[in-house]
Amino acid sequence: RQYGRVFLKFHDPVTYTELKELAGEEEDLTSFIGNHIVKKINEIIIVAPFAATSTALILCDQKGFTKTEALVNMKKMVQFLKYVNAPISDVLHNEENFPEVMHHVIESFNRDHAIVPVDDKIEKSKKFNDDTELYIHEEDRARINIYKNNIIHYLLPIAFISISILHEAPAITKGGVVNAFNYLKNIFSKEFIFSELMNDSERVQSVAFDYLAKNNTISLNADNQTITIINRSDLVLYSHLIQEFIESYFAAFSAMNTVRKRERKELVHDIRLIGSKIYQMNEIKMIESLSLPNYNNALDKCAELGVIKEVKQEKKSTIEIINVQKILEFKNEIKKFLSAL
């Protein structure tokens, strides 16, 4: 039985001494080496057909979608990946291959009952076509989402800029979008190891704005400082790439806003309860946002920013909320990003 392909790339070996010299004296060496290695891995990860297709599928309407609709998402994601010269599989260079790839991936997930037709009768007959309405089982979204997050570093520029544009609407200026973009970069610095492109503020803005303008998603007005949205649905689609992280942090800030001092383990439990509650109330949409790693990263970021204080003891860790007002500000700002979708 064939289980697919594995792509391997080898680079010249690097010594500990060389890494130490790169880090310099100021930076924590352990963190530097970890970030350096992950960044280098991210630069050469090949976007395989399964990852590109899974990304397109996870971005589809949770209530139901067709293979045809998923293909539209796939074409848009791959088009941007090509635009930023991300290394993609040979199969993805030709759009004529996309229907066959999509069929293969959906069939694979269908065998596991992760993706099934909305109509039970069609599921039993196993006869579904391009226009058969499908959906992803809630409990399987996280598994499919992993494939998306394996290549998300290539898609962060368009995701961050898109949701920043929506955040600033209706009076959209480049300056406002840049401020929103930088806010997201700062707040999610524990979630992502950003590429060289993402860390080059002027270049990433130029790439994203030019791409969106060329594809008639936005128009840059004559003053080159204000922006008009032409195709809102595309901006929302790109924003969905990072929606789970925004929802996770909204749950975390909501929980932190109600306590003053708590053991970390108990606080994470509180966040989880609030996350589940607001998911059931439809305040957040993605079940994959109910993520313990994301909750813990949100706490670590707040500690880094000095708005909470963590005291670690032998068997437990206690968190004290130092700046309640700042937590409330974080919550309100994150909610504004969610409301824009």
Side-chain angles (χ1 to χ4, degrees), residues 14-27:
V14 60
T15 66
Y16 173 77
T17 303
E18 289 172 322
L19 289 172
K20 196 173 180 181
E21 288 175 358
L22 281 173
E25 296 181 2
E26 300 296 325
E27 196 160 356

Side-chain angles (χ1 to χ4, degrees), residues 90-322:
D90 291 343
V91 173
L92 296 176
H93 280 285
N94 187 348
E95 286 190 5
E96 291 181 3
N97 297 324
F98 289 7
E100 184 181 348
V101 172
M102 181 66 69
H103 175 78
H104 168 74
V105 174
I106 289 178
E107 195 175 58
S108 175
F109 283 130
N110 179 251
R111 283 197 298 268
D112 297 337
H113 303 288
I115 294 180
V116 295
V118 172
D119 189 333
D120 289 339
K121 293 178 181 177
I122 297 176
E123 166 62 10
K124 289 174 183 177
S125 69
K126 297 293 180 184
K127 294 178 180 178
F128 47 93
N129 55 41
D130 291 355
D131 295 314
T132 300
E133 196 166 10
L134 308 167
Y135 76 98
I136 301 172
H137 278 300
E138 268 195 355
E139 60 270 24
D140 291 297
R141 285 188 63 84
R143 176 161 65 96
I144 298 174
N145 196 51
I146 289 172
Y147 293 100
K148 183 260 288 181
N149 286 343
N150 282 340
I151 61 169
I152 196 172
H153 53 285
Y154 293 128
L155 298 165
L156 288 180
I158 198 71
F160 273 50
I161 288 292
S162 292
I163 198 167
S164 296
I165 291 171
L166 293 171
H167 175 273
E168 293 300 301
I172 311 167
T173 65
K174 271 190 174 181
V177 172
V178 170
N179 288 339
F181 172 88
N182 289 332
Y183 180 88
L184 289 175
K185 258 194 75 181
N186 180 38
I187 211 75
F188 291 133
S189 66
K190 298 292 183 183
E191 295 294 341
F192 308 108
I193 294 177
F194 295 116
S195 64
E196 295 300 326
L197 174 59
M198 281 293 286
N199 285 325
D200 187 337
S201 184
E202 289 188 13
R203 185 168 159 239
V204 73
Q205 293 162 39
S206 175
V207 166
F209 286 139
D210 288 352
Y211 179 81
L212 292 170
K214 285 176 182 175
N215 285 278
N216 294 317
T217 306
I218 63 169
S219 77
L220 298 170
N221 299 326
D223 58 7
N224 202 36
Q225 294 301 316
T226 55
I227 295 169
T228 301
I229 295 174
I230 299 173
N231 187 341
R232 189 179 187 279
S233 62
D234 274 5
L235 293 175
V236 172
L237 177 70
Y238 299 133
S239 300
H240 283 334
L241 288 161
I242 58 169
Q243 184 174 342
E244 72 195 80
F245 301 100
I246 299 172
E247 291 184 349
S248 293
Y249 278 51
F250 179 66
F253 296 143
S254 297
M256 282 188 274
N257 194 45
T258 63
V259 299
R260 296 298 173 265
K261 196 171 185 179
R262 199 95 159 120
E263 280 190 29
R264 182 176 182 126
K265 187 177 180 180
E266 293 176 350
L267 180 54
V268 172
H269 179 69
D270 292 344
I271 298 172
R272 189 175 185 178
L273 289 177
I274 286 181
S276 297
K277 180 180 178 182
I278 60 178
Y279 176 72
Q280 294 298 330
M281 294 171 64
N282 210 33
E283 289 186 45
I284 59 176
K285 312 292 184 182
M286 296 184 166
I287 196 167
E288 53 268 35
S289 70
L290 308 181
S291 163
L292 293 180
N294 291 3
Y295 298 156
N296 278 294
N297 285 338
L299 292 176
D300 290 341
K301 184 62 190 181
C302 286
E304 179 186 274
L305 294 173
V307 296
I308 67 173
K309 180 181 178 182
E310 184 170 11
V311 178
K312 296 181 179 179
Q313 297 170 318
E314 189 175 339
K315 292 186 178 180
K316 66 178 182 178
S317 176
T318 302
I319 287 178
E320 181 181 354
I321 310 297
I322 296 173

